[in-house]
């Protein structure tokens, strides 16, 4: 990974429903450089900048395998 989001970054507190947890994790970790803080099996993960407990929560509850949202 060549980029890590700065620790002082302010994202807020966001929870996103995703259709594929591993793909979503790869996207945020590789593109944004955030850290995986906690993962709950294949259903949820919490990611952060700078060691905060989590800035973004990702989960597949009610959304696993769903098609992309309409444009």
């Amino acid at each position: 990974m060549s980029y890590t989001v700065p620790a002082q970054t302010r994202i807020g507190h966001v929870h996103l429903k995703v259709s594929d947890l591993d793909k979503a994790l790869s996207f945020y970790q590789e593109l944004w450089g955030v850290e995986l803080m906690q993962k709950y099996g294949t259903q949820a993960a919490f990611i952060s900048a700078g060691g905060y407990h989590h800035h973004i929560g990702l989960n597949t509850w009610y959304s696993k395998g769903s098609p992309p949202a309409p444009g």
Side-chain angles (χ1 to χ4, degrees):
M1 178 181 340
S2 60
Y3 178 78
T4 300
V5 69
Q8 67 273 18
T9 298
R10 293 182 181 230
I11 298 172
H13 196 99
V14 179
H15 285 249
L16 302 172
K17 293 194 176 300
V18 299
S19 63
D20 186 310
L21 187 61
D22 289 330
K23 283 185 182 179
L25 275 173
S26 291
F27 173 79
Y28 286 103
Q29 288 179 300
E30 292 172 18
L31 186 66
W32 285 18
V34 295
E35 303 172 68
L36 175 62
M37 303 306 290
Q38 183 79 36
K39 189 171 179 184
Y40 292 95
T42 60
Q43 295 185 350
F46 299 93
I47 54 180
S48 166
Y52 183 66
H53 67 91
H54 77 278
H55 289 102
I56 300 175
L58 305 167
N59 73 68
T60 59
W61 306 319
Y62 308 108
S63 58
K64 186 171 185 165
S66 295

